[in-house]
Amino acid sequence: MSSGTETGSDVLQGPTSDSCGTVPVEHLDYDYIEKCKDVKYMERILGVLRSGKEGIYPHLITFCESHLEKLNPRSRSLRKVNPVATASSFSTDEWSQIIDELKTWEEETKKTETLMKQESMLGDTVKIKIPPVRGSNRCVQLRESSASKERQNSSKHTLPRDYREWDKYDVDKECDRIDGNVLKNDPPAVLNTGHPKIKTEVDSSLLSQQEKLLLANREKDKGNEAFRAQDYEEAVAYYSRSLSVSPTVSAYNNRAQAEINLKHWHNAMRDCQQVLELQPGNKKALLRRATVYNHMGNFQMASEDLRMVLREEPHNTAATQLLSEIEKKMSECQPEQERKAKKVLIQEVEEEDSNSFKEKRAQRTACPVQPSQPVGGEESSAAPAERGDMGNTQKKPHTRGDGGPHSESSNSHQHGHWKSKVGSSDKYKVPQESKEKVANGSNQRASAASVPADQNSKSTGGGRTEETVNLDAPCGALPPHLSRLKNEGNLLFKNGQFADALEKYSQAIQGYTDSGIDSPEDLCILYSNRAACYLKDGNSQDCIQDCTRALELQPFSLKPLLRRAMAYESLERYRKAYVDYKTVLQIDISVQAAHDSVNRITRLLIEQDGPEWRENLPEIPLVPLSAQQHRREEPPSAEALQARKEKAARDAERRAEILFSALKQEGNDFVKKGQYQEALGKYTECLKLKPKECAVYTNRALCYLKLEMFTEAKEDSDAALNLEPTNKKAFYRRALANKGLKDYLACSSDLQEVLQLDPNVQEAEKELEEVTVLLRQSLANDSQAKPRRTVPITEVDDDKDLTAVPNPETTCTGEDITINLKPTSAYDFGQSLNAARCSGNTAACAELLASTSPELLPEYLSTQLDSATISFVMQALDSHLLEKNPNLVYQHLSHLHTTDRFPVVLMLLEKDERRHMTQLFEHLSAVESAEFTTNDVQNLANKYI
């Protein structure tokens, strides 16, 4: 035993000197299997256990399989063949469903086929000139035959009526005239140099609806074929034919793309508009219209279309790239003066100009807000931190609980009998001057910011409609002055002025108390809105107080509960925050922020209180069923479920792609550092995510080669070649693996494949030279290890035997064997050929070849072909058979080179052996034969020399 580095695990590496492959019984033990680290020996143990030779031990087999899986998850011994699914593999209902679907498909196919046989698809359109097949230069014309024209022409001349007229009839002249007419009326065939113009419309007036649909699909398929062939003009023509029969969204979309490739921007724009009229929000049409806008220079409209696409598909790569390009162009095109701050000229206004000043101020008040202004509502361009998103930076709940002040529509979150007396109000946008006046807190100046109802909608230059705010809009049962205070507070909150909004809400609450009205719903909203302001300013204690008051007025109101939970969490009062979040989820389970917070607080409480953390929680109140039913959403439709499923699949694919890229990059970094064992683990994890990634298999094969695990390297190279049959790296690394396994013949074959794919790979050339030397040495060692025997040769004919005396110089023993000149199998042929070769009797070899069919020669030599055999066969053909039957020699040579191992063996021939082969072809080319020529012999020689 070596000292220093040997550990206990190194002892149990499996017996290496056991040549017979047996496993001792004492190794079939849990302790030994658990300590064993030799994968190959573990596979042998598993094989013995599965065979049942030492008994059946199901638990021990399972334990051995699990341990082997830890050592090598890709071991061949762990592979299990799944049986082919049959009727017994399915339940009765599943099998019945499969049978019913097959029968339904068969019936529909038969009905469609019957209908197509009964009714003609094209109807009377056969008379129309049929367009040519795409790519042909002939145009088929449906015209009358020359024979019918001849009959028409001949009918114009009256025939003789009696014998005297027949005597005067010049038959030769009439024949010449007829022949001339035929030649004259039959124009020569003209080959078109280009495609004939295809009609863009098809007459489908006589077709049924089903026939129209089939014809439209057929024309669209022709367009798709032309599009794939990059013949976009023809594709446009076929798409137009399809649209003339039945306008469809897909045909319009396809034609728009073809027009874009032809740079016909206006035509493409027209098709995109047609699609959006038929199907508003179609993502392909929006993306293609954005492409057209981009080329036409309308970057603003292009960016709007792309943002609509990204709202539906946030991970659309094409839309993301195009939007980044457009934003870059817009930033480059922006004038420099617009980027600089604007100068403000302040002038004093005299008393006499006060009237004109008021008129100008009213005009400015009526102007809509600019798109860049941060206004309230979901369409606001303000940053998320400036909007009311739950009062903190957590995730926004799914469609509920936006954290901003309650609007009139927020009453719909209450119980069924808590509905507001007023309907839902719109989202407002405010003019710049109105926003400034509200921020000043002056009621007198703010009253001048009111906009008449008929001026609420204005159209901006961008084509979008902006809305101005009406601060006097009614709010539930509140009096007008309190409604105005609440609207001003909402507006200030949306603009991020939380302190001013808090003051407005406080004034409204004080005014509510002084007025003596009875409307707990409206007071609850005011407290909740003020709590949102406290939460934004970081005053969590006052936020909790206001939320508690709101919940006393309206129990189980969603927004106060959620805001109080956030305030408790910010104060690290996690138990009370947990209770409020759980109450929120009882009311509305779709609030994602509550789910995230519950998970986060649960981990904190487990760390703080241990496994018994639930015992320290306050009691979670039970939400009434009426409140739960009001919060409960309608069951999602099939389309919504499918959309969620697709979104989840896209998200999972995106996460897997990110993880795969990171693991692959880590593996590549380990390879660069020479840490091949660590890289091996990373590549294995990559293949769990993407088992069909060819590059990962080749990279892992490289790691196996560096670790001298040649069998695993060969398996990975085989897997890579199954995925990509022409991968040079896979061939090269499999060649190195075969070299490590001392399979030099397979190694040479793989290296030749590499050089055939790329003759410039110098590493493959060097390896091929080295492997060729190793292969010759291996064959020489094998031939020296085989004992030679004395072979008296006996030629066996029908009734007589011919015994030849062996050559003493080439024999090893005195044993006699006979040569069968009519072998019936590869074994018999091999025995006879070896006997002749050992005695050096080329005449007997020639007789053997003369009695063997040339077609059978590759089959007989497939397992025993080597350079010495080829040289001996060539000498026999040249010395004896060429003079007797040169045609048979040519046929043998024509079939010999098709043997499986011939290219490799040909490479190993020595100089003298090649010289014998060259002499044979020189003698064969000098022979004159009716079955082959000198050129045929030369072409055949190229395969040998």
Side-chain angles (χ1 to χ4, degrees), residues 865-911:
L865 188 65
D866 55 19
S867 57
T869 302
I870 288 183
S871 177
F872 185 68
V873 169
M874 293 293 175
Q875 293 178 26
L877 293 176
D878 190 18
S879 302
H880 303 280
L881 196 58
L882 183 60
E883 296 179 359
K884 299 178 182 179
N885 193 349
N887 294 332
L888 183 60
V889 173
Y890 178 79
Q891 293 177 10
H892 275 304
L893 293 175
S894 298
H895 290 84
L896 179 60
H897 70 86
T898 61
T899 309
D900 293 338
R901 302 176 58 186
F902 181 80
V904 178
V905 176
L906 186 64
M907 181 181 60
L908 302 177
L909 290 176
E910 299 291 343
K911 184 176 181 181

Side-chain angles (χ1 to χ4, degrees), residues 203-483:
D203 184 10
S204 60
S205 57
L206 301 179
L207 302 180
S208 64
Q209 188 62 30
Q210 184 179 4
E211 290 175 334
K212 287 182 179 179
L213 182 60
L214 291 174
L215 182 59
N217 289 334
R218 180 180 297 177
E219 296 297 328
K220 186 184 72 173
D221 292 341
K222 293 178 183 178
N224 294 342
E225 182 182 354
F227 189 93
R228 285 191 291 270
Q230 298 183 358
D231 192 348
Y232 302 120
E233 294 182 355
E234 186 173 339
V236 169
Y238 281 118
Y239 290 141
S240 301
R241 290 170 64 87
S242 176
L243 291 170
S244 68
V245 177
S246 177
T248 58
V249 170
S250 59
Y252 275 122
N253 261 331
N254 294 356
R255 190 171 71 173
Q257 185 61 52
E259 296 284 9
I260 288 174
N261 292 344
L262 292 172
K263 298 183 180 181
H264 298 165
W265 309 117
H266 294 286
N267 295 340
M269 175 66 72
R270 184 175 62 253
D271 286 343
C272 293
Q273 297 290 1
Q274 291 289 342
V275 173
L276 294 174
E277 289 179 5
L278 295 173
Q279 190 181 96
N282 186 280
K283 293 185 285 297
K284 286 186 178 180
L286 288 171
L287 186 58
R288 289 165 188 174
R289 189 173 70 174
T291 304
V292 175
Y293 277 140
N294 179 32
H295 285 87
M296 296 174 68
N298 195 342
F299 302 131
Q300 183 65 31
M301 299 300 292
S303 62
E304 291 181 5
D305 285 347
L306 292 173
R307 289 191 177 93
M308 292 178 64
V309 173
L310 291 175
R311 275 199 292 269
E312 297 294 331
E313 293 184 359
H315 307 293
N316 192 313
T317 307
T320 305
Q321 293 178 353
L322 185 58
L323 182 59
S324 61
E325 294 176 4
I326 290 175
E327 289 178 346
K328 184 177 180 181
K329 291 179 181 178
M330 293 174 66
S331 62
E332 292 175 355
C333 295
Q334 184 178 4
E336 186 66 25
Q337 59 270 20
E338 292 184 3
R339 303 180 185 178
K340 297 180 181 180
K342 296 182 179 179
K343 295 182 180 180
V344 180
L345 178 62
I346 302 176
Q347 295 180 350
E348 294 185 358
V349 181
E350 300 294 339
E351 293 293 334
E352 59 269 21
D353 297 336
S354 60
N355 294 331
S356 61
F357 172 73
K358 291 180 180 178
E359 294 176 359
K360 294 179 180 179
R361 184 179 65 179
Q363 293 176 1
R364 290 196 302 269
T365 303
C367 294
V369 69
Q370 297 299 324
S372 61
Q373 297 173 0
V375 295
E378 294 181 2
E379 297 178 358
S380 173
S381 60
E386 297 176 357
R387 284 183 262 168
D389 295 341
M390 283 298 182
N392 64 357
T393 58
Q394 299 175 14
K395 285 188 178 180
K396 185 175 180 179
H398 181 64
T399 69
R400 296 176 184 262
D402 58 355
H406 283 271
S407 64
E408 295 306 313
S409 61
S410 64
N411 290 326
S412 62
H413 292 288
Q414 312 302 329
H415 301 164
H417 59 281
W418 296 345
K419 299 261 180 114
S420 175
K421 299 179 182 178
V422 183
S424 62
S425 63
D426 297 334
K427 296 176 181 178
Y428 300 102
K429 293 194 176 181
V430 63
Q432 183 68 25
E433 185 175 347
S434 297
K435 185 172 71 173
E436 295 173 358
K437 292 179 179 179
V438 172
N440 292 333
S442 174
N443 293 338
Q444 182 178 359
R445 294 179 64 187
S447 62
S450 301
V451 181
D454 57 354
Q455 297 179 9
N456 282 349
S457 265
K458 298 291 179 181
S459 178
T460 63
R464 294 179 298 177
T465 301
E466 300 290 342
E467 296 179 354
T468 57
V469 67
N470 182 8
L471 298 178
D472 294 326
C475 298
L478 295 178
H481 67 284
L482 298 182
S483 298

Side-chain angles (χ1 to χ4, degrees), residues 630-695:
H630 184 72
R631 305 299 181 195
R632 188 175 302 154
E633 296 181 353
E634 293 293 330
S637 61
E639 293 79 6
L641 291 175
Q642 182 66 21
R644 292 179 186 176
K645 185 177 179 181
E646 293 175 356
K647 183 177 183 300
R650 289 195 300 269
D651 292 342
E653 183 179 358
R654 179 179 58 83
R655 289 192 295 270
E657 184 66 28
I658 294 173
L659 180 59
F660 174 84
S661 301
L663 290 172
K664 184 178 178 183
Q665 185 59 40
E666 291 176 8
N668 296 341
D669 294 338
F670 281 130
V671 170
K672 293 177 182 178
K673 297 176 183 178
Q675 302 175 0
Y676 301 108
Q677 190 66 43
E678 291 78 3
L680 197 64
K682 297 298 180 181
Y683 290 141
T684 302
E685 293 179 15
C686 286
L687 291 175
K688 292 179 181 179
L689 297 174
K690 285 189 176 182
K692 294 185 178 181
E693 192 72 12
C694 181

Side-chain angles (χ1 to χ4, degrees), residues 95-112:
W95 185 251
S96 301
Q97 184 180 358
I98 293 173
I99 296 299
D100 293 340
E101 290 177 355
L102 288 175
K103 289 182 179 179
T104 303
W105 172 80
E106 184 179 4
E107 291 175 359
E108 291 178 355
T109 305
K110 287 182 178 179
K111 287 181 182 179
T112 305

Side-chain angles (χ1 to χ4, degrees), residues 147-172:
S148 61
K149 290 187 177 182
E150 179 183 350
R151 289 194 299 269
Q152 293 178 1
N153 293 335
S154 61
S155 62
K156 296 179 181 179
H157 302 279
T158 57
L159 296 175
R161 290 172 293 178
D162 54 14
Y163 291 106
R164 287 177 294 179
E165 291 183 0
W166 276 110
D167 292 338
K168 299 177 182 179
Y169 190 76
D170 192 348
V171 178
D172 294 334

